[in-house]
Amino acid sequence: MKDALKEARRAAAEAEVPVGAVVVKDGRIIGRGRNQREKLRDPTAHAEMIALTQAAAAVGSWRLDGAAMFVTLEPCPMCAGALVNARMGRLVYGADDPKAGACGTLMDLVSDRRLNHRMPVTRGVLAAECGAVLREFFRARRGRREEE
């Protein structure tokens, strides 16, 4: 999760919403991502999607069974769906997302028995630190708008 936090801080430094993700398989990081929606002008450029793409390239397959994703914020429906489609082995996330969380908070796509794949989820890992990065980013953004 510490590596995912590094990616989140890099996103914040690039004026992106600070979410970071890493994919780990066999004890090594095979994919890294941070939000890049503004930079890439791409609504799908979430940290999880970028990390999944790198991980799939690293293993030479879209199937990531046996891998684990560590992400600083609970994945949204798009990202949760991508984790299911990638056959991710495990999800670990930091802060809950009450507005868009699709892994247990608002809905639970990754555990839905109607889908063809499910994965274990560990919630709240370094949650205070992950949440603080987000709060600090949005506090600074609100401050800039008030100055304008």
Side-chain angles (χ1 to χ4, degrees):
M1 187 61 79
K2 295 235 182 233
D3 284 296
L5 273 162
K6 287 178 188 174
E7 292 296 325
R9 289 185 180 103
R10 287 180 66 196
E14 296 169 354
E16 298 278 356
V17 173
V19 177
V22 295
V23 177
V24 176
K25 186 170 172 86
D26 299 327
R28 66 182 185 88
I29 294 173
I30 59 170
R32 294 178 179 274
R34 63 186 177 281
N35 275 0
Q36 295 185 56
R37 291 188 309 172
E38 302 299 332
K39 176 183 177 183
L40 299 177
R41 295 181 177 94
D42 179 355
T44 68
H46 288 202
E48 299 95 325
M49 302 298 280
I50 293 166
L52 281 172
T53 299
Q54 282 187 11
V59 300
S61 174
W62 60 268
R63 287 184 172 90
L64 295 172
D65 52 317
M69 173 166 284
F70 293 79
V71 60
T72 58
L73 182 66
E74 180 181 4
C76 72
M78 174 183 67
C79 294
L83 291 170
V84 169
N85 284 326
R87 312 299 195 266
M88 184 63 59
R90 177 175 174 223
L91 169 64
V92 179
Y93 75 80
D96 287 337
D97 186 350
K99 293 183 179 180
C103 300
T105 301
L106 188 62
M107 62 187 75
D108 196 356
L109 288 176
V110 297
S111 298
D112 192 320
R113 294 199 173 278
R114 296 170 295 179
L115 299 177
N116 64 337
H117 178 75
R118 288 164 296 288
M119 70 202 69
V121 178
T122 303
R123 298 166 172 86
V125 174
L126 298 178
E129 193 171 347
C130 293
V133 170
L134 285 158
R135 281 189 303 279
E136 182 179 308
F137 174 80
F138 286 111
R139 187 177 303 124
R141 269 182 72 169
R142 283 190 301 275
R144 278 197 303 268
R145 277 192 228 138
E146 290 171 3
E147 292 171 5
E148 294 174 355

